[in-house]
Amino acid sequence: MFTRTKGRLVPTPEADMLFAEVDKIHQQMRSIDNTAHNIKHAHFGNINIGITPALGFSVLPKAIASYHQQHPNVSFNINTVHNDAVLQSLIEHKSDVAVLFHPSPKLGVNSIACGESELVVVYPKGLFPHLPTQLSIQELIDVTFIGISDSGPLGDMLYSRLQSENMQPHSPIQVQTYFIAARLVAQGLGVCVIDRHTAMGNVDANTAIASFTPPLAFDIRALHLQNRPLSTAVQSFLPFLQSAINC
């Protein structure tokens, strides 16, 4: 591997060939070490997140924008999920974590608190010219509602309140999505009851928002499978999401 020339060890051509291969191994080891460091500190990674559509208007984009300033190399795969499909999304690896409104407990699923919100009334300004910021059920008795079918646990919450006050809303128009309901309100076709995040993202010059008295509050939670721990990247992202929800 070496020859002695004038008292010095000089590598042979065979040694030079070996050095080149050893150098490749050192480079690979440095690459592995750097990758491990980046994974540990969430500099790289991929986040598969399922999100309720209402949080996709502004909350999730704000959270990702803030997160990317510190972690520009983490990639995201975003899909919308509803309460009845969340478990399948987690099992099929479509989502590492799913963020929902007021999810019901599920066997084998962990839940992380992310914040709170509330159901609000979106109404045409012409209907209540004094623009109240709070409304009771009794003030809505003779008002036309834009009905929202299949609205999950939030719909159940509203239904329970209406039942407790013996109110049967008049709903000649039924829709399946909150933002369509808000746009119909803007045309003066009635009021709708939706979450505050959707309401804030769809209010315009013709509509206003009022809370219920007493409020109809609910929690927002992130779900993941108990047997599938969250990656470092997901764990580092959740505080940004919680901040965007609660700002």
Side-chain angles (χ1 to χ4, degrees), residues 40-213:
K40 179 180 178 180
H41 295 87
H43 295 318
F44 288 89
N46 180 67
I47 297 175
N48 298 307
I49 184 167
I51 196 93
T52 184
L55 294 177
F57 286 109
S58 61
V59 169
L60 185 62
K62 287 179 182 178
I64 292 177
S66 297
Y67 183 76
H68 256 239
Q69 291 179 6
Q70 299 182 29
H71 307 278
N73 296 312
V74 175
S75 61
F76 281 82
N77 179 41
I78 303 164
N79 63 89
T80 57
V81 294
H82 299 277
N83 287 63
D84 58 352
V86 62
L87 189 57
Q88 196 67 21
S89 179
L90 293 171
I91 291 173
E92 293 179 356
H93 291 267
K94 292 179 180 177
S95 303
D96 303 317
V97 63
V99 185
L100 297 172
F101 291 154
H102 198 54
S104 58
K106 292 177 174 58
L107 187 65
V109 175
N110 281 344
S111 166
I112 302 169
C114 291
E116 292 186 348
S117 189
E118 64 173 333
L119 287 175
V120 296
V121 182
V122 180
Y123 62 89
K125 290 181 177 178
L127 184 62
F128 297 106
H130 59 297
L131 302 182
T133 57
Q134 293 182 323
L135 286 168
S136 67
I137 294 294
Q138 296 305 312
E139 292 174 282
L140 298 169
I141 285 179
D142 297 322
V143 172
T144 298
F145 277 71
I146 308 298
I148 303 171
S149 58
D150 301 325
S151 51
L154 299 191
D156 295 340
M157 184 185 303
L158 174 62
Y159 180 75
S160 295
R161 174 66 64 84
L162 296 176
Q163 287 290 99
S164 69
E165 302 205 23
N166 298 313
M167 179 184 173
Q168 181 64 43
H170 174 57
S171 304
I173 301 175
Q174 294 286 326
V175 300
Q176 290 187 330
T177 55
Y178 283 1
F179 71 89
I180 292 178
R183 302 321 306 155
L184 290 171
V185 173
Q187 297 299 315
L189 295 172
V191 305
C192 71
V193 178
I194 59 179
D195 68 278
R196 180 169 286 278
H197 289 289
T198 302
M200 294 297 294
N202 287 277
V203 70
D204 64 13
N206 299 317
T207 59
I209 300 170
S211 298
F212 280 98
T213 53

Side-chain angles (χ1 to χ4, degrees), residues 218-240:
F218 58 86
D219 58 346
I220 302 172
R221 307 190 72 85
L223 308 180
H224 70 94
L225 295 180
Q226 290 177 356
N227 62 0
R228 198 174 296 159
L230 294 177
S231 67
T232 302
V234 174
Q235 292 180 50
S236 68
F237 173 68
L238 285 178
F240 290 83

